[in-house]
Amino acid sequence: MRKTLSLAAVVTAAAALVAVPGVASAAPPVKQVQWVACPADVALPGLECGKLQLPLDYRKPEGRQTEIMITRLASKSPEKRRGILLTNPGGPSEGLTFPFFLKALGMPQSVLDAYDVIGMDPRGIGYSSPATCDLTDAQMLAGSVPPYAVTQADVRKRAEEVKTMAQQCLKSSTADELPYNTTANIARDLDRVRAALGEKTASYLGYSYGTYLGSVYATLFPRTSDRVVIDSNLPQGGWDVEGGRMYGPGVEDTFPDFAKWAAAHPGYGLGTTPQQVRAKYFDLAGRLDAKPSVEGITGQQFRMLVFGGLYATGDAAFSRMAAQWKALDNDQPLPPLEVPEVPRIESLISGRLHVICGDSQWPSSVSTYERNVAVDRVRYPMFGAAGANIYPCAFWPKPVEKQVLPSDRGPRNILMVQNERDPATPLVGARSTRRAFGDRAAMITVDQGGHGAYLIGKNDCANDKVTEYLLGGQRPSDVKCAAETG
């Protein structure tokens, strides 16, 4: 999901002290935003675009710079404006159009009046000094989520493939940027954006991977982060080896919603009870492992199709997935799929690898992933052998900086929002982040499935509580929002 933001005029102001762990730093000079015409695919109504030169390595602030692009969707009510709202859509992926996307999703006008909503392409991605690993089309199709390892031999095969990808990253024209394209430095970039816009503090709204970015931002900058909302939360370590394994429990948590729906719609022929629908999943996956469909869909691809399908809920999403199952069950072509074009996909996948592999040290032994897959294939049979499979990060250099983890030191200004059933960022992972923040955070859990709650899940209770916090600063205690009915 691609999103972006616009920025308007910039006021220069004294920057706050940027805290880089292990590095003594003086207040950096405030950089100016250079306002520019938006690229054609970012030029959406209300968005303004700007560029900012920031340190590639914050340990050497006057050294080599990297270019960051931002957007702003400016408040049109000066009397109601209270500041800026930095945003991140997850991924890591492009974020420039995200303010426009949030408005289209129905962000309340009161929030749009209160904030200039800011978007940013994270360093190494999109229009912000894009990285490359010289990936082939086949490598890009592999995406960010590993394939389901049907056998242990699949893990070893995947290991050879991702080792090649890692070597390409290390030999590419942007390899020298690789150690510095990390979440910690993206968080530092956010604070420099705040300073460049002349704001003493900044609020933040981030989803999925953006929850880990928000956690790091609030940890590094407790004095300049204002109201922080993180939605669909990664575990406290972010997208590390254990964060990737969250897909296993996530699918197990979320699938029963679809199974119940499909059982109530027997016309698709998937079963008349949730148990029969679940059995049909394993039946189809096994048959496609043995013999791909008429269109060449394999068992691995079927499992990935279901994983992606569980990101959304409701009649439209579930009927679409049920129709796909029916076609595969009868060895017919899949119904037409609306696949959005993803511009700059090579930069997207390459930049994502830079970030997730550079944030933490992943196990380097292939046997570790073989064991993880063997365990998770049994524990989470639907998708565990995908989430536990090996990433290029296994062959990555050691990070140059110790990983930044959520801290309970700082103001009580973090509001977490979490669906109880989420295929990618399940509740069990969110709870680890909640514990790490201690009294700094409160969490709204929402009785619904899917990936994304605020504005996405259409739960009035959750939407109202987040909006109230962004506007009034009154953070609720830990609370559960019941499922919407009717």
Side-chain angles (χ1 to χ4, degrees):
M1 194 161 48
R2 180 174 182 279
K3 353 249 172 201
T4 304
L5 217 255
S6 69
L7 297 170
V10 161
V11 180
T12 308
L17 191 68
V18 176
V20 182
V23 179
S25 64
V30 177
K31 295 293 182 76
Q32 297 258 346
V33 174
Q34 176 189 359
W35 297 104
V36 298
C38 290
D41 60 331
V42 179
L44 296 168
L47 288 184
E48 305 161 278
C49 294
K51 294 180 178 180
L52 192 61
Q53 300 295 318
L54 296 174
L56 177 65
D57 179 359
Y58 275 92
R59 298 170 301 179
K60 301 175 182 178
E62 301 305 321
R64 181 178 167 185
Q65 304 291 290
T66 189
E67 186 171 84
I68 303 299
M69 177 166 273
I70 57 175
T71 55
R72 178 176 66 186
L73 184 64
S75 166
K76 293 181 172 57
S77 300
E79 71 284 358
K80 297 178 181 178
R81 183 187 181 278
R82 68 173 307 273
I84 61 171
L85 180 65
L86 303 168
T87 65
N88 182 276
S93 59
E94 299 183 20
L96 293 179
T97 59
F98 197 41
F100 181 85
F101 178 82
L102 289 170
K103 182 178 180 180
L105 271 179
M107 176 170 273
Q109 188 60 47
S110 55
V111 177
L112 297 172
D113 289 341
Y115 295 96
D116 294 344
V117 186
I118 308 299
M120 183 177 84
D121 277 359
R123 54 171 60 203
I125 294 176
Y127 288 103
S128 291
S129 299
T132 181
C133 291
D134 299 316
L135 300 175
T136 65
D137 289 345
Q139 288 171 329
M140 287 186 285
L141 280 175
S144 304
V145 179
Y148 188 96
V150 180
T151 69
Q152 297 307 90
D154 289 335
V155 181
R156 295 188 289 274
K157 178 176 180 289
R158 174 70 173 172
E160 291 301 315
E161 295 169 350
V162 298
K163 183 177 182 179
T164 298
M165 293 173 67
Q167 291 171 341
Q168 288 173 208
C169 292
L170 291 168
K171 294 176 181 177
S172 76
S173 59
T174 58
D176 57 344
E177 300 171 10
L178 179 148
Y180 312 109
N181 289 344
T182 63
T183 297
N185 280 335
I186 296 169
R188 293 171 183 127
D189 294 343
L190 287 174
D191 200 60
R192 291 294 183 96
V193 168
R194 171 202 60 76
L197 293 174
E199 302 290 336
K200 292 182 179 179
T201 61
S203 293
Y204 177 87
L205 171 63
Y207 296 78
S208 196
Y209 159 78
T211 63
Y212 179 60
L213 174 58
S215 296
V216 173
Y217 175 64
T219 296
L220 289 179
F221 303 101
R223 288 180 291 180
T224 54
S225 58
D226 187 13
R227 299 167 187 175
V228 176
V229 178
I230 48 178
D231 186 319
S232 304
N233 293 266
L234 282 167
Q236 62 171 329
W239 193 348
D240 59 5
V241 64
E242 293 304 321
R245 294 177 76 179
M246 288 292 104
Y247 298 141
V251 170
E252 298 287 348
D253 288 348
T254 312
F255 183 78
D257 287 352
F258 171 72
K260 181 179 178 181
W261 184 94
H265 295 79
Y268 291 99
L270 307 182
T272 57
T273 68
Q275 293 77 16
Q276 290 176 351
V277 176
R278 181 179 173 89
K280 176 63 71 173
Y281 173 90
F282 292 107
D283 171 58
L284 276 173
R287 284 159 51 192
L288 294 168
D289 284 334
K291 180 184 178 182
S293 75
V294 65
E295 292 181 302
I297 302 297
T298 66
Q300 290 177 334
Q301 291 168 334
F302 167 68
R303 295 178 181 94
M304 192 71 71
L305 195 69
V306 174
F307 172 67
L310 293 173
Y311 271 52
T313 62
D315 286 346
F318 286 166
S319 62
R320 183 166 53 248
M321 187 154 68
Q324 293 168 349
W325 284 40
K326 182 178 180 179
L328 292 170
D329 194 29
N330 293 287
D331 201 20
Q332 299 294 320
L334 289 175
L337 295 174
E338 292 185 13
V339 181
E341 181 182 353
V342 180
R344 297 169 295 281
I345 187 169
E346 203 278 333
S347 160
L348 173 67
I349 302 300
S350 299
R352 184 172 296 173
L353 288 176
H354 276 221
V355 174
I356 66 173
C357 298
D359 278 349
S360 63
Q361 188 159 9
W362 291 59
S364 59
S365 169
V366 176
S367 62
T368 298
Y369 297 92
E370 290 183 288
R371 287 194 298 271
N372 290 349
V373 164
V375 169
D376 287 6
R377 187 188 292 117
V378 174
R379 186 182 295 167
Y380 311 115
M382 299 192 76
F383 206 64
N389 206 348
I390 193 166
Y391 284 72
C393 307
F395 304 99
W396 217 255
K398 183 179 180 180
V400 298
E401 176 184 356
K402 183 178 179 181
Q403 185 180 16
V404 179
L405 298 174
S407 170
D408 59 2
R409 294 184 177 183
R412 299 181 178 184
N413 65 337
I414 299 164
L415 179 59
M416 302 174 62
V417 195
Q418 181 67 38
N419 289 338
E420 290 191 338
R421 301 175 298 284
D422 186 314
T425 55
L427 182 59
V428 63
R431 284 174 171 160
S432 80
T433 297
R434 172 68 185 85
R435 289 192 298 270
F437 272 128
D439 290 342
R440 289 197 68 188
M443 186 162 75
I444 302 169
T445 54
V446 190
D447 183 5
Q448 63 185 15
H451 191 52
Y454 182 55
L455 306 178
I456 297 172
K458 309 304 180 186
N459 182 282
D460 289 342
C461 166
N463 288 340
D464 290 348
K465 289 182 183 301
V466 173
T467 296
E468 289 167 6
Y469 177 59
L470 288 173
L471 294 177
Q474 297 301 312
R475 195 193 67 183
S477 302
D478 288 342
V479 64
K480 179 175 178 178
C481 284
E484 294 285 299
T485 59

